[in-house]
């Protein structure tokens, strides 16, 4: 991107490999080599539930933060952790840099590929199974700090419907009068249905 702090990859078949997968690939590699501090990785609440499942299966703990690389950096420094980032491809290797660096991230990803002898598609597939994720932005007339409280019962019903199979996240934008409704579910149709119901 413009200031080169993010990177996304594309595998040989043309499939996008996003920040969740890149962080996961690097976390697993560091974990297997004993170089992932406290076997912990830091991501924002927007990271896919499939990422969390993939890390749990490898014995890697996930620390969640609010959306924004500054929150990831704060959590890295507070915990003394060394790897974190965002689904957008903003990855921070805290033992190597003080911020996200797209070139550094690209090199770290290539390094894992070369040392493992595995193509990017294989590494990404072994890292996580992405759950369909639907994001609906709901424009509001004004900022209402009690808005999420007013629909708490609807959110609870959606969470009960999805159980461990999915996830619901509602958060007001910090920059505009919008509430972001994010739903992850086993199928696109279910994620869309739940997101649209909550948005309505």
């Amino acid at each position: 991107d413009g200031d080169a702090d993010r990177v996304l990859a594309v595998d040989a078949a043309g499939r996008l490999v996003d920040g969740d997968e890149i962080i996961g690939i690097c976390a697993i590699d560091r974990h297997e080599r004993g170089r992932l501090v406290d076997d912990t990785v830091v991501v924002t609440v927007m990271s896919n539930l499939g990422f969390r499942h993939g890390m749990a299966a490898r014995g890697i703990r996930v620390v969640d933060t609010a959306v924004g690389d500054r929150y990831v950096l704060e959590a890295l420094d507070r915990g003394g952790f060394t790897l974190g980032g965002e689904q957008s491809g903003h990855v921070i290797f805290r033992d190597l840099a003080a911020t996200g660096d797209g070139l550094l991230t690209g090199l770290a990803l290539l390094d894992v590929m070369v040392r493992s002898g595995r193509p990017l598609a294989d590494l990404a597939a072994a890292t996580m199974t992405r759950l369909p994720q639907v994001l609906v932005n709901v424009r509001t007339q004004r900022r209402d700090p009690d808005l999420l409280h007013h629909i708490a019962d609807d959110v609870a019903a959606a969470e009960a419907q999805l159980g461990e199979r999915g996830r619901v996240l509602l958060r007001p934008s910090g920059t505009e009068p919008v509430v972001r409704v994010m739903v992850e579910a086993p199928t696109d149709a279910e994620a869309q249905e739940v997101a649209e119901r909550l948005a309505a």
Side-chain angles (χ1 to χ4, degrees), residues 140-192:
T140 58
Q141 293 296 320
R142 60 184 172 80
R143 290 192 180 183
D144 178 357
D146 295 326
L147 178 63
L148 299 184
H149 175 72
H150 295 314
I151 61 171
D153 291 344
D154 298 297
V155 173
E159 290 174 335
Q161 173 187 337
L162 295 172
E164 295 294 315
R165 304 174 310 115
R167 187 168 68 112
V168 174
L169 176 67
L170 274 70
R171 65 177 193 87
S173 166
T175 57
E176 54 186 326
V178 166
V179 174
R180 304 195 195 288
V181 178
M182 190 274 288
V183 176
E184 293 170 341
T187 66
D188 284 311
E190 187 174 17
Q192 192 71 46

Side-chain angles (χ1 to χ4, degrees), residues 25-66:
I25 289 167
C26 293
I28 291 168
D29 175 67
R30 285 177 166 226
H31 173 69
E32 290 175 347
R33 295 188 293 137
R35 295 188 56 207
L36 186 64
V37 172
D38 290 339
D39 296 319
T40 299
V41 66
V42 178
V43 295
T44 74
V45 293
M46 294 303 288
S47 283
N48 194 274
L49 182 59
F51 172 86
R52 290 165 172 76
H53 290 166
M55 295 301 98
R58 298 293 191 123
I60 298 171
R61 182 170 72 105
V62 175
V63 171
D64 282 323
T65 74

Side-chain angles (χ1 to χ4, degrees), residues 78-114:
R78 189 170 47 251
F81 309 127
T82 55
L83 179 61
E86 298 184 282
Q87 192 178 56
S88 65
H90 193 130
V91 182
I92 302 172
F93 295 92
R94 193 63 184 98
D95 53 338
L96 301 174
T99 186
D101 183 322
L103 291 174
L104 176 62
T105 302
L107 289 171
L109 183 60
L110 290 169
D111 177 59
V112 175
M113 291 171 61
V114 170

